[in-house]
Amino acid sequence: MLEQQLSQATFQIPNKFILSLEASIFRDSLHDFVRESWHIVEPDVPFVDGWHIHAICNYLEAVYENRLGDLIINVPPRHMKSLLVDVFFPAWVWTKSPSKKFICLSYAESTITEHTKKCKKLIKSEWYQTHFNVALEITPDTDTKFANRNGGFVYSFGFGGAYTGGGADFLLIDDPLKAAAADSDAERNK
């Protein structure tokens, strides 16, 4: 009789426990974090996984954990390098260390600004707030910078912008040169 009652019983796991378990999994794996939150950043584009995404995520985790210093990532265009580095990485780091500071640079201010907006959108999302509760600071709403209440910030600039005088825990440089300028010694030296 007891066996029959147990076999028919349904066990309800509290939602708070499930959210806590999920948050722990996403904090431990940048790749899992990216896969799960992709729909927030790119709602009209399906997530397509690949070995290079795993590799980039593993290297970024090593940078965060100070197991690796400077990192240069070279992959063909449209292989998620910019989204992984400029959008998902800062948001993921804040799930673990919300006081970390990021400066993001690119030759194309419009591109880096778009990435900053996507990062901010992810952090403000219901999914992110439900799992990690990293509150953004109430500041003037700009497309190039935002901060959280733990002292962390994300500032983005195009090269030539006013970014001197400040420091950060992470300096993210995405496409420092236009492809056409890569063959120029003068542009590379600059």
Side-chain angles (χ1 to χ4, degrees), residues 1 7 24 29 31-32 42 58 67 89 97 99 105 120 122-123 128 134 144 154 156 161 179 184:
M1 179 120 163
S7 69
S24 178
S29 168
H31 182 267
D32 289 339
E42 293 291 341
N58 287 338
R67 294 184 286 119
F89 182 63
S97 301
S99 64
L105 300 166
K120 187 177 186 180
L122 172 56
I123 292 167
Y128 190 94
V134 176
T144 58
V154 175
S156 64
S184 164

Side-chain angles (χ1 to χ4, degrees), residues 26-120:
F26 302 145
R27 277 187 192 101
D28 287 345
S29 168
L30 176 56
H31 182 267
D32 289 339
F33 176 86
V34 170
R35 188 190 67 242
E36 193 65 24
S37 61
W38 175 261
H39 70 282
I40 299 163
V41 174
E42 293 291 341
D44 299 326
V45 180
F47 177 72
V48 179
D49 207 353
W51 69 267
H52 67 289
I53 295 171
H54 286 271
I56 293 169
C57 287
N58 287 338
Y59 280 110
L60 289 170
E61 288 174 5
V63 168
Y64 168 75
E65 295 164 356
N66 290 318
R67 294 184 286 119
L68 184 64
D70 295 342
L71 173 65
I72 296 175
I73 302 170
N74 289 311
V75 294
R78 312 291 305 157
H79 280 74
M80 283 182 49
K81 169 190 55 74
S82 296
L83 289 175
L84 290 171
V85 174
D86 298 335
V87 177
F88 291 103
F89 182 63
W92 176 77
V93 168
W94 278 6
T95 70
K96 301 160 83 64
S97 301
S99 64
K100 295 296 184 185
K101 298 164 180 58
F102 295 84
I103 293 178
C104 307
L105 300 166
S106 177
Y107 82 87
E109 186 171 347
S110 61
T111 302
I112 201 69
T113 299
E114 187 61 32
H115 294 160
T116 301
K117 287 169 37 178
K118 287 181 178 187
C119 182
K120 187 177 186 180

Side-chain angles (χ1 to χ4, degrees), residues 16-17 23 34 39 55 72 75 98-99 107 124 134 137-139 150 158-159 176:
K16 189 175 181 179
F17 176 77
V34 170
H39 70 282
I72 296 175
V75 294
S99 64
Y107 82 87
K124 289 173 72 173
V134 176
E137 189 64 55
I138 299 172
T139 58
N150 298 90
F159 278 107

